[in-house]
């Protein structure tokens, strides 16, 4: 099992002003009484084992008592909370979430009544804190992913390759994929767990194992569970029915269903079975990249680069969609100048192509982009044919738009390519979910910058707007020497080598617009 702490990759930044933090400390005295009342009500509605009831309440009161400490060190409080929840005899995950819900409800209720002007910032901080705790619980108590994907042995069995990406606790004996669309099942693939090496190995297609699968599908053997993941396609597992093995099976079934769906998008050319295997490998490649991603920035980079390459395109640009203001903001690019993409900030209604994709919610092919994109973009990026695809959250809400082309040359993709793009982005969308609303959400791949002064913020924004040193000095009515000093300071704080990199980091860290 991996020993990495669940919050080592989270970067908590102070979201509350000193005044709001003071108000939260003040009202925290009334929160425990509110939480106790709510917990008593929940116990009446959902009777639990008395021992579990006490442990859930202990988790809730730990968060309540640690509220002042969380304002100073969220990482420490959340790490201790996850440790308490996942001790030697861990509670079920839904019980831990019950403690989190009770905590958040109580703090929110008292904040709304007594928080005054600070209520909004406190509620925003509270929600991010609770979601970060939930993410830590899922990461710690769910199915841990191996941190050494590059060391996975290239087994001939696709099932073994997938299993090697998981840190297996060793309570399962074998896992098999089988079809059962006739009188007898057909074993497609099987993997055996070797306790000595703590690795999965390919299982020979033995009659004994096939017989166990057959009887397991009929329910004749205790300890063998089967899950249908497609029409006539089953995952069979032999081993004790524990919470951890159950989580692992659910994850494998989810991956298998997505891979099957990906294959359904493809019609084999010339009847070659290797074409479906290619689709299967493509889905595994995007999963590998997503599993290795640690931050929101990493996931978006996978979206911009891997989806582009796996779909057969040569360059891409990713834009974030702001639903309230209905703006499109450049975020990332692949084989396109990053600074040019970051400068793009347009109302979605002004770009008919984006508006169409946001409305339809699926990839769109455009043979000639000139009639539907501003002329300035056509000339600057040498645009002709394009594929434009929405990036969706798990609730089917559009959070971004991905543009891809073949280096400015005209092209005409078939339906297979568009369906592949849609399938790949569906995988990205599922991975984005836990990152989108966490308090750690940041587009920055590096550590947070030292605090910029108000003047440094102003100058960084003016640099992003395209002003040179002399123009900045005139705008702010200060000397060019002073401007240069401020630029040197903000470059040092951001860890940037030049102005272009400073602007890119400023956009990613949401320091500028």
């Amino acid at each position: 099992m991996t020993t990495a702490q669940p919050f080592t990759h989270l970067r908590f930044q102070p979201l509350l002003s000193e005044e709001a933090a003071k108000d939260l400390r003040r009202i925290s005295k009334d929160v425990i009484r509110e939480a106790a009342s709510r917990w008593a009500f929940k116990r009446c509605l959902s009777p639990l084992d008395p021992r579990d009831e006490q442990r859930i309440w202990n988790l809730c009161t730990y968060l309540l008592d640690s509220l002042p400490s969380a304002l100073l060190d969220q990482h420490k409080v959340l790490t201790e909370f996850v440790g308490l929840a996942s001790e030697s005899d861990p509670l079920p995950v839904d019980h831990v979430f019950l403690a989190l819900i009770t905590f958040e409800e109580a703090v929110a209720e008292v904040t709304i009544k007594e928080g005054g002007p600070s209520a909004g910032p406190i509620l925003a901080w509270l929600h991010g804190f609770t979601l970060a705790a939930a993410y830590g619980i899922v990461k710690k108590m769910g199915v841990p992913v191996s941190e050494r994907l590059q060391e996975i042995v290239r087994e001939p069995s696709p099932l073994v390759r997938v299993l090697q990406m998981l840190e297996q606790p060793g309570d399962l004996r074998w896992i098999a994929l089988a079809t059962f669309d006739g009188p007898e099942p057909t074993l497609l693939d099987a993997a055996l767990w070797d306790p000595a090496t703590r690795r999965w190995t390919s299982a020979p297609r033995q009659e004994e194992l096939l017989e166990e699968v057959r009887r397991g599908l009929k329910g004749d053997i205790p300890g063998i569970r089967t899950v249908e993941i497609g029409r006539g396609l089953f995952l069979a597992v032999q081993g004790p029915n524990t919470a951890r093995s159950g989580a692992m099976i659910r994850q494998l079934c989810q991956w298998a269903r997505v891979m099957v769906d990906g294959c359904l998008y493809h019609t084999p050319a010339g009847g070659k079975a290797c074409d479906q295997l290619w689709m299967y490998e493509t889905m595994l490649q995007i999963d590998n990249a997503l599993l290795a991603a640690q931050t929101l920035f990493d996931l978006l980079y996978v979206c911009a680069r891997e989806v582009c390459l796996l779909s057969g395109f040569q360059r891409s640009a990713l834009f974030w969609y702001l639903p309230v203001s209905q703006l499109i903001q450049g975020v990332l690019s692949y084989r396109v100048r990053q600074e040019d993409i970051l400068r793009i900030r347009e109302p979605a209604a002004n770009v008919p192509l984006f508006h169409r994709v946001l409305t339809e919610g699926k990839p769109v092919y455009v043979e000639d982009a000139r009639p539907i994109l501003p002329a300035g973009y056509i000339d600057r990026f040498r645009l002709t044919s394009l594929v434009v695809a929405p990036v969706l959250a798990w609730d089917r809400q559009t959070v971004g738009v991905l543009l891809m082309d073949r280096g400015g040359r005209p092209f005409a993709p078939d339906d297979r390519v568009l369906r592949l793009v849609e399938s790949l982005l569906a995988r990205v969308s599922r991975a984005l979910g836990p990152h989108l609303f966490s308090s750690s959400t940041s587009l920055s791949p590096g550590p947070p910058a030292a605090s910029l002064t108000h003047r440094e913020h102003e100058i960084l924004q003016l640099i992003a707007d395209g002003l040179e040193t002399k123009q900045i000095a005139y705008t702010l009515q200060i000397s060019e020497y002073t401007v240069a000093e401020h630029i040197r300071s903000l470059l040092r704080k951001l860890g940037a080598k030049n102005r272009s990199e400073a602007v890119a980091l400023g956009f990613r860290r949401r320091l500028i617009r």
Side-chain angles (χ1 to χ4, degrees):
M1 292 292 294
T2 179
T3 58
Q5 293 298 320
F7 294 99
T8 52
H9 66 291
L10 298 182
R11 304 183 185 96
F12 296 105
Q13 299 183 6
L15 301 180
L16 289 178
S17 65
E18 185 57 40
E19 188 64 29
K22 181 179 178 181
D23 287 340
L24 181 54
R25 293 188 188 96
R26 170 178 55 81
I27 66 177
S28 63
K29 298 177 182 178
D30 296 328
V31 170
I32 292 183
R33 183 174 56 183
E34 176 71 20
S37 176
R38 287 175 177 271
W39 177 237
F41 177 68
K42 284 182 170 62
R43 290 171 60 193
C44 294
L45 293 179
S46 304
L48 300 166
D49 181 272
R51 183 170 176 270
D52 286 347
E53 285 184 357
Q54 185 59 51
R55 294 175 65 194
I56 294 169
W57 177 240
N58 288 344
L59 288 176
C60 183
T61 53
Y62 170 79
L63 291 174
L64 296 169
D65 292 339
S66 302
L67 201 52
S69 301
L71 295 172
L72 301 174
D73 191 346
Q74 298 180 71
H75 183 283
K76 180 175 182 294
V77 171
L78 288 173
T79 301
E80 290 180 355
F81 172 75
V82 171
L84 289 173
S86 58
E87 55 190 9
S88 57
D89 182 18
L91 281 166
V93 174
D94 56 340
H95 286 17
V96 181
F97 282 175
L98 189 56
L100 281 172
I101 291 168
T102 305
F103 161 76
E104 183 175 20
E105 284 180 347
V107 179
E109 183 68 27
V110 177
T111 298
I112 292 169
K113 290 183 178 179
E114 303 179 19
S118 299
I122 291 174
L123 290 174
W125 176 90
L126 170 68
H127 194 53
F129 175 81
T130 309
L131 281 169
Y135 177 68
I137 289 296
V138 171
K139 184 176 176 66
K140 181 73 172 179
M141 301 176 67
V143 182
V145 176
S146 171
E147 297 177 355
R148 298 182 177 180
L149 297 181
Q150 67 274 18
E151 296 180 6
I152 294 174
V153 177
R154 295 296 294 177
E155 295 276 355
S157 162
L159 179 61
V160 171
R161 291 203 299 272
V162 172
L163 290 170
Q164 297 290 32
M165 288 187 278
L166 300 176
E167 293 282 0
Q168 161 64 357
D171 54 358
L172 297 178
R173 179 175 159 232
W174 56 255
I175 298 177
L177 278 172
T179 58
F180 199 25
D181 52 3
E184 293 295 329
T186 300
L187 192 62
L188 300 177
D189 201 354
L192 296 176
W193 174 251
D194 184 352
T197 62
R198 296 192 61 78
R199 296 186 67 84
W200 289 99
T201 60
S202 299
R205 301 188 177 186
Q206 301 170 349
E207 289 299 321
E208 181 182 348
L209 180 57
L210 182 60
E211 175 65 15
E212 287 191 64
V213 172
R214 185 187 68 79
R215 295 178 62 190
L217 288 171
K218 293 185 176 181
D220 295 340
I221 302 180
I224 295 181
R225 285 166 285 167
T226 58
V227 182
E228 186 172 12
I229 57 179
R231 181 176 297 179
L233 182 63
F234 289 84
L235 184 77
V237 179
Q238 197 279 335
N241 189 3
T242 64
R244 183 170 294 279
S245 65
M248 182 176 181
I249 293 167
R250 286 192 297 272
Q251 179 67 77
L252 287 172
C253 289
Q254 181 186 28
W255 285 345
R257 288 188 182 106
V258 170
M259 292 169 189
V260 170
D261 289 343
C263 291
L264 292 176
Y265 284 137
H266 177 64
T267 301
K272 294 181 180 179
C274 63
D275 286 338
Q276 284 204 6
L277 292 177
W278 171 83
M279 175 67 80
Y280 184 60
E281 289 288 344
T282 303
M283 304 309 291
L284 280 177
Q285 288 181 57
I286 194 69
D287 269 349
N288 280 349
L290 293 171
L291 286 166
Q294 294 293 314
T295 66
L296 177 59
F297 179 87
D298 295 338
L299 289 172
L300 295 181
Y301 185 72
V302 168
C303 180
R305 182 179 187 277
E306 299 299 327
V307 174
C308 175
L309 292 176
L310 292 173
S311 305
F313 296 98
Q314 293 182 1
R315 60 179 187 170
S316 67
L318 179 63
F319 298 85
W320 203 250
Y321 176 58
L322 308 173
V324 176
S325 54
Q326 295 188 340
L327 292 173
I328 294 291
Q329 170 70 63
V331 178
L332 275 172
S333 61
Y334 176 64
R335 290 183 177 172
V336 180
R337 273 173 51 92
Q338 180 79 0
E339 297 92 330
D340 292 339
I341 298 301
L342 290 171
R343 289 179 187 276
I344 297 177
R345 183 181 175 88
E346 291 277 355
N350 290 357
V351 187
L353 179 56
F354 285 173
H355 191 264
R356 176 184 169 188
V357 171
L358 294 172
T359 302
E360 295 185 11
K362 61 181 181 180
V364 171
Y365 164 65
V366 178
E367 183 178 4
D368 186 358
R370 284 177 293 183
I372 50 179
L373 280 181
Y377 297 150
I378 297 291
D379 297 336
R380 185 188 310 171
F381 301 109
R382 298 178 292 106
L383 300 177
T384 54
S385 304
L386 289 172
V387 165
V388 188
V391 180
L392 307 175
W394 65 76
D395 55 358
R396 301 293 298 174
Q397 296 298 309
T398 304
V399 297
V401 178
L402 181 66
L403 272 69
M404 297 182 291
D405 75 354
R406 291 179 180 163
R409 296 189 300 275
F411 65 92
D414 55 25
D415 289 342
R416 171 177 168 272
V417 171
L418 295 179
R419 289 173 178 173
L420 175 61
V421 170
E422 187 173 11
S423 182
L424 291 172
L425 286 177
R427 302 299 298 136
V428 173
S429 297
R430 294 185 184 187
L432 280 174
H435 291 262
L436 286 178
F437 306 108
S438 168
S439 65
S440 65
T441 295
S442 169
L443 301 185
S444 168
S451 178
L452 299 182
T453 65
H454 176 69
R455 180 65 82 187
E456 289 166 350
H457 270 289
E458 283 184 314
I459 292 175
L460 183 60
Q461 182 64 61
L462 292 173
I463 293 173
D465 293 338
L467 275 63
E468 300 295 337
T469 300
K470 186 174 182 178
Q471 296 169 307
I472 295 173
Y474 177 80
T475 301
L476 299 179
Q477 294 297 297
I478 58 179
S479 70
E480 292 182 43
Y481 174 80
T482 303
V483 172
E485 286 296 314
H486 283 306
I487 291 175
R488 276 193 288 270
S489 175
L490 68 89
L491 288 177
R492 175 179 53 79
K493 290 180 179 180
L494 291 171
K497 298 176 183 178
N498 51 46
R499 296 186 185 202
S500 296
E501 187 176 351
V503 169
L505 291 171
F507 277 122
R508 293 175 196 167
R509 300 178 188 182
R510 301 182 182 181
L511 301 174
I512 53 178
R513 302 184 302 276

